[in-house]
Amino acid sequence: MGSTSSTNSSPLTALIIGANGYLGSAISSAFLRASNLPTPNFFRVYGLIRRSSNAPALALRETIPIVASLSSDSPAAVTQAILAHSRTWDVVVVCTEPSQSDPVAQTQHWHDVLALVKALVEASTSIPSGSGGKAVTPLVLWSSGCKDYGTTKLHGDLDLEPHTEWAALNPPDVVRCRMDGALRALKVVGLDVVVVRASPLCGYSGSYYGAALEYVAAFAASKKYNEHENETKVLKFTADADTIMHGIHVDDCADAYVALAGIVLFDMGTSLDEGSGNGTPKSRRASIAGQVFNISGRRYETLTEVGAALAAEYGFTGGTQFNVSADNIPEEAEYQRSEFVFGYNQWVSSEKIRALTGWRDKRPLFSENIHAYRLAYEAAKDGGNENVETVRKRMVGDWGE
């Protein structure tokens, strides 16, 4: 099995499939800024994107854009477009997210992504003799999500337990295809695949936490909320106060991807092989290939915490109220469909990746830095950020592209 030597001064190559997305963009930046690599290694990062209009934004972030689309081109054509830049790849990250309006097309997308990854691995590991090149076995980091497990008990419930990587899978329908695609990749012989399941992400353009901010802003601006000028203002939620909101900043999540790559490429961290804490890069690769790793924040927050922070930020002097009927929510706020954010209860353990790699999340939790997160989200929204518009559409039931 090929591997990259830490004494090789040539750049390591990382391909991010879906590099202009919310998570893909952060992962690209994380590989570029990776600071704990043995000198003189560095990552040269390439980003696969569908539209040429997104190429300048990638180039500005020093990610080399590759424009090709699995929705309009064959996997073979996309493969050739990628191999024109590099035949060998040290890391391939899958974080694409297709339209979910057509289940058949969505299933085909994941089959096409797998065919693409298999072709890239074959090319990277079969360098012709005499060509002067060196075969490299790519580590494939395949993004899924912690919603694959479903929900847990509420905060305070005596039967509450976190979802670990060994928890039963019980995804909502909206993410089932993505989960199935990741599980399919794990079963392919000859691929060193690691499935990464992250909890909800916050920061910058906000992802689904942006929907939380939209809900509160719409509530505060609603006619019903403002019809009695001197009335104490209360921020209301249909969800339970003990709902668990376990998120993580997108930068911290992206750093976890780099930490997993470091285990394989530079023999960093602690081997999962029993009794082999000082394993070689090859043994460490074997110890994590075919496994799943959760990524989540150092602790969960409750809706009580998040709600109080949101109420203070948006000027709700009367605090919060929970478990209210939908009839008590202003129509403008209810339109945001925020139950996908406030009502999805889940505690996720990420002890496995922490123990293996030493990775730790460092950024503030959502409720701890909500003013900065609000300003970032509003700036992204005003700037026409694509992720903001995508999430806003999904909150009203439009899961197309």
Side-chain angles (χ1 to χ4, degrees), residues 3 23 26 39 148-149 155 177 232 251 280 299 305 310 354 371 383 392 401:
S3 63
L23 177 57
T39 304
D148 291 357
Y149 304 116
H155 169 71
C177 241
T232 300
D251 280 348
T280 66
R299 71 169 181 87
E305 291 177 272
L310 287 168
R354 293 171 187 271
H371 181 62
R392 293 180 73 187
E401 292 187 12

Side-chain angles (χ1 to χ4, degrees), residues 205-248:
S205 59
S207 191
Y208 293 105
Y209 278 88
L213 298 173
E214 288 282 353
Y215 171 85
V216 181
F219 200 121
S222 68
K223 180 179 179 181
K224 184 176 182 179
Y225 172 84
N226 290 289
E227 61 185 356
H228 302 296
E229 184 176 347
N230 296 320
E231 185 178 87
T232 300
K233 309 303 182 183
V234 178
L235 178 57
K236 300 176 181 180
F237 301 92
T238 58
D240 193 285
D242 287 325
T243 298
I244 294 171
M245 298 179 66
H246 201 175
I248 188 169

Side-chain angles (χ1 to χ4, degrees), residues 10-355:
S10 63
L12 300 158
T13 52
L15 173 67
I16 316 299
I17 300 175
N20 64 309
Y22 180 65
L23 177 57
S25 175
I27 292 173
S28 300
S29 297
F31 274 98
L32 286 169
R33 69 171 181 265
S35 59
N36 60 342
L37 309 181
T39 304
N41 293 283
F42 67 94
F43 282 104
R44 180 170 292 156
V45 181
Y46 297 77
L48 181 64
I49 55 176
R50 292 178 297 167
R51 294 185 291 271
S52 59
S53 59
N54 290 321
L58 260 68
L60 184 62
R61 299 196 306 268
E62 299 176 8
T63 297
I64 300 169
I66 303 174
V67 182
S69 173
L70 285 170
S71 61
S72 57
D73 303 317
S74 68
V78 177
T79 300
Q80 291 307 309
I82 294 170
L83 295 181
H85 289 265
S86 176
R87 185 178 177 89
T88 59
W89 298 95
D90 295 282
V91 182
V92 175
V93 181
V94 176
C95 52
T96 180
E97 195 166 2
S99 167
Q100 299 179 31
S101 58
D102 182 348
V104 174
Q106 187 183 175
T107 299
Q108 185 60 51
H109 170 84
W110 291 116
H111 280 287
D112 289 344
V113 171
L114 182 55
L116 170 64
V117 170
K118 290 166 67 176
L120 293 174
V121 170
E122 181 179 0
S124 189
T125 55
S126 57
I127 303 299
S129 59
S131 65
K134 180 181 179 181
V136 176
T137 301
L139 173 67
V140 180
L141 300 174
W142 195 294
S143 306
S144 192
C146 283
K147 284 187 171 63
D148 291 357
Y149 304 116
T151 57
T152 60
K153 300 291 186 179
L154 293 170
H155 169 71
D157 192 294
L158 294 178
D159 294 324
L160 172 63
E161 293 183 353
H163 281 148
T164 68
E165 290 81 355
W166 298 273
L169 300 175
N170 185 30
D173 289 342
V174 73
V175 300
R176 183 174 294 277
C177 241
R178 181 188 66 185
M179 182 194 75
D180 289 343
L183 295 177
R184 197 177 299 118
L186 279 178
K187 296 177 181 178
V188 177
V189 177
L191 292 187
D192 288 351
V193 177
V194 172
V195 168
V196 181
R197 292 185 177 133
S199 62
L201 305 173
C202 69
Y204 305 120
S205 59
S207 191
Y208 293 105
Y209 278 88
L213 298 173
E214 288 282 353
Y215 171 85
V216 181
F219 200 121
S222 68
K223 180 179 179 181
K224 184 176 182 179
Y225 172 84
N226 290 289
E227 61 185 356
H228 302 296
E229 184 176 347
N230 296 320
E231 185 178 87
T232 300
K233 309 303 182 183
V234 178
L235 178 57
K236 300 176 181 180
F237 301 92
T238 58
D240 193 285
D242 287 325
T243 298
I244 294 171
M245 298 179 66
H246 201 175
I248 188 169
H249 194 282
V250 67
D251 280 348
D252 285 326
C253 177
D255 286 340
Y257 280 74
V258 178
L260 285 170
I263 286 293
V264 171
L265 302 179
F266 305 113
D267 197 19
M268 300 188 300
T270 303
S271 176
L272 287 179
D273 291 335
E274 190 173 354
S276 59
N278 294 312
T280 66
K282 183 175 180 179
S283 69
R284 289 175 187 273
R285 176 188 292 264
S287 78
I288 72 168
Q291 297 206 33
V292 174
F293 290 89
N294 295 340
I295 302 173
S296 60
R298 53 194 172 272
R299 71 169 181 87
Y300 65 70
E301 300 165 280
T302 64
L303 184 53
T304 295
E305 291 177 272
V306 172
L310 287 168
E313 173 65 22
Y314 284 84
F316 288 84
T317 56
T320 54
Q321 185 178 351
F322 305 96
N323 288 318
V324 304
S325 69
D327 294 339
N328 290 316
I329 305 298
E331 181 179 354
E332 299 92 330
E334 180 62 24
Y335 179 71
Q336 301 298 326
R337 303 273 184 94
S338 62
E339 67 273 7
F340 193 71
V341 181
F342 295 125
Y344 199 90
N345 180 80
Q346 188 181 33
W347 175 22
V348 178
S349 170
S350 55
E351 292 308 309
K352 182 180 177 182
I353 189 172
R354 293 171 187 271

